[in-house]
Amino acid sequence: MSGKDVGSPHSHTTSRSSISRRTLLASGAAVGATTALGGCLGSEDNRLTVGFALPFTGTYALLGESIVAGFELFIEQQGGEINGREVEFVRRDTEAETSRGVDVTRELLLEARADAIVGPVSSAVAMAMIQPIQTESSAIWFNANAGDYRVTAEGCPEYHFRTSFNDWQTSAPLAEFVYEEVADNVCLAYADYAFGQNSKEFFKEAFEDLGGEVVEEVGAPLGTDDFSPYLGDIQGSGADAVYSFFAGDDAVNYVNAFSDFGLNEEMVQTGSGFMLANDTLPAQGESALGMYSLLHYTTTHDTERNREFVENYVEMYDETPNVYACQGYDSAQAFAGAVEETGGTDPDEMAESLVEMEFDSPRGEFEFDPETHEAIQNLYVREVVEADDGESVENEVVETLEDVEGPDWGCSHR
């Protein structure tokens, strides 16, 4: 399908969708839309233009492709148009590079005349995107992954709506579960870069406010292959539990080493949901059993809405959706809802309408905080258990934290 047509790192991709018209299960939020890629850019021919500012090459390409896949699934499910207008997708590869992200944003706003920007993955890129989006004031922005809280806190951009998460949400709310159900003392182990540092600080503050004790902090550089020295420090802390933030290959290496080191027999491992996610569990396997994590979406969450989403996604792409696909899907829901409600694409009018809406998502119902434009959403404490096939492992929801609202970061859009 068109969402897979990725050219060179600086390619400009605009093509008409080749998705087959198959019968899909009905979506919970039926707003008409089609994918029509190709022809003239912008809105002069009454089309709606969605600009994807995402990585389509390099380490984070999977995340970018997943976000696009989720977005296109929602559009396809609705079978045609948003408010009688075809939808055009324009893809620009940020390469997860800050300077490239700025160029991409300007291209989408000025050349493609995008009505909505979806992306990015990198928080550094997101920070760089704020200025051109605010200056042009011509498009609504759905942040479908970049989770650094500072994207909101530093400037409170009025056209920015986070359809994903922030680093407070995937860390601090887990503190109460750990304190009450696991241990009153922890060691913090984290990837030593901005997101990892933010995550451990948010968890630490919440845990200590509850009366918990942080006995040690252990930071490991991104891309660490040998965790032995750090695991020795974790073991030496004498903590009963560990809270961690790692993702991707680091998460795989850390969890497997944690188990090999025998630490799973001495202390309980907890952490951000990205440490124990769809993209890491296959490589972690039994090493991850019994570990707890927190995230806003879980593929195995047993609700009718999520089961439909997973079935539709598998039917279209022949693979299981991940959290990034859900974030893309909900970005499409939000855009469609705003266009339908306002009858147009004026970003000020769409911003006003978005804070009044509730969305029926595979993650559970969510809405946008009117002050911060962050998602107010359920968060799920998950435990890694054996899957029904007896061979693989999966996350099982053990507790739901409902309608979690985060800090206001000093923002006020009212």
Side-chain angles (χ1 to χ4, degrees):
M1 62 180 290
S2 62
K4 303 298 183 182
D5 296 335
V6 181
S8 66
H10 298 287
S11 64
H12 296 178
T13 305
T14 309
S15 57
R16 192 171 293 271
S17 173
S18 61
I19 300 172
S20 62
R21 296 293 178 183
R22 61 187 65 167
T23 301
L24 298 173
L25 291 170
S27 168
V31 179
T34 55
T35 39
L37 296 101
C40 299
L41 297 180
S43 301
E44 293 181 353
D45 60 356
N46 202 41
R47 289 178 181 169
L48 297 167
T49 300
V50 175
F52 292 118
L54 293 163
F56 295 114
T57 56
T59 303
Y60 300 108
L62 172 63
L63 280 64
E65 294 288 359
S66 296
I67 290 168
V68 170
F71 198 104
E72 291 194 350
L73 172 60
F74 179 84
I75 297 297
E76 178 67 10
Q77 279 184 321
Q78 310 316 306
E81 302 168 339
I82 295 177
N83 209 33
R85 299 169 67 178
E86 290 187 350
V87 180
E88 178 180 61
F89 297 151
V90 182
R91 296 155 57 104
R92 295 291 186 267
D93 186 358
T94 65
E95 304 169 30
E97 293 290 340
T98 303
S99 60
R100 177 64 184 152
V102 172
D103 293 341
V104 157
T105 303
R106 288 177 176 153
E107 289 171 10
L108 291 171
L109 293 171
L110 300 176
E111 297 177 15
R113 300 181 63 192
D115 298 303
I117 303 293
V118 178
V121 164
S122 162
S123 291
V125 172
M127 295 292 292
M129 290 171 60
I130 294 174
Q131 190 274 331
I133 290 177
Q134 291 299 111
T135 297
E136 291 304 317
S137 303
S138 61
I140 204 76
W141 176 16
F142 297 109
N143 180 346
N145 191 72
D148 195 314
Y149 78 99
R150 292 173 295 182
V151 178
T152 296
E154 296 184 8
C156 306
E158 60 186 310
Y159 302 126
H160 172 260
F161 287 81
R162 189 140 24 198
T163 50
S164 47
F165 62 94
N166 63 50
D167 39 17
W168 180 90
Q169 289 180 319
T170 55
S171 56
L174 184 62
E176 184 173 358
F177 175 85
V178 174
Y179 182 76
E180 293 184 353
E181 304 294 338
V182 180
D184 62 3
N185 64 93
V186 299
C187 173
L188 304 179
Y190 59 96
D192 197 6
Y193 74 112
F195 199 97
Q197 294 161 3
N198 291 346
S199 296
K200 68 98 174 176
E201 286 296 330
F202 286 135
F203 180 89
K204 177 182 179 180
E205 180 181 13
F207 193 70
E208 290 181 337
D209 283 349
L210 291 166
E213 180 185 6
V214 174
V215 298
E216 183 67 272
E217 299 182 21
V218 180
L222 278 174
T224 295
D225 292 321
D226 181 10
F227 277 94
S228 298
Y230 308 103
L231 293 170
D233 292 338
I234 293 169
Q235 184 178 41
S237 73
D240 293 320
V242 187
Y243 171 83
S244 300
F245 175 85
F246 295 102
D249 289 342
D250 284 352
V252 172
N253 293 336
Y254 171 76
V255 167
N256 288 339
F258 188 93
S259 177
D260 291 344
F261 214 73
L263 293 188
N264 52 349
E265 302 295 331
E266 302 179 25
M267 51 186 66
V268 178
Q269 176 66 62
T270 72
S272 165
F274 296 103
M275 185 177 69
L276 300 163
N278 283 23
D279 60 329
T280 64
L281 283 177
Q284 292 163 334
E286 293 183 357
S287 295
L289 285 173
M291 295 184 177
Y292 295 96
S293 66
L294 182 73
L295 204 60
H296 54 291
Y297 176 69
T298 300
T299 306
T300 56
H301 190 39
D302 191 19
T303 65
E304 182 178 355
R305 184 73 174 96
N306 187 49
R307 288 193 300 270
E308 289 180 352
F309 171 65
V310 172
E311 184 174 338
N312 289 339
Y313 195 94
V314 171
E315 182 181 355
M316 181 168 284
Y317 301 111
D318 197 29
E319 61 186 21
T320 303
N322 53 31
V323 64
Y324 313 108
C326 180
Q327 292 165 178
Y329 187 86
D330 287 338
S331 297
Q333 287 209 74
F335 179 55
V339 172
E340 181 75 13
E341 178 68 22
T342 64
T345 58
D346 179 273
D348 293 298
E349 293 180 1
M350 285 198 289
E352 290 179 6
S353 71
L354 283 165
V355 298
E356 302 293 336
M357 296 180 183
E358 292 185 359
F359 299 95
D360 181 19
S361 166
R363 73 181 81 177
E365 292 186 0
F366 80 95
E367 60 188 306
F368 293 111
D369 187 303
E371 305 297 341
T372 63
H373 297 173
E374 300 279 1
I376 299 174
Q377 59 190 335
N378 293 347
L379 297 171
Y380 303 100
V381 181
R382 305 99 54 85
E383 180 183 5
V384 179
V385 299
E386 289 186 359
D388 290 340
D389 62 16
E391 297 179 0
S392 59
V393 300
E394 63 184 19
N395 282 304
E396 179 179 85
V397 175
V398 296
E399 185 169 322
T400 299
L401 312 180
E402 295 185 349
D403 300 328
V404 177
E405 297 185 42
D408 64 17
W409 314 121
C411 296
S412 178
H413 290 293
R414 292 281 184 167

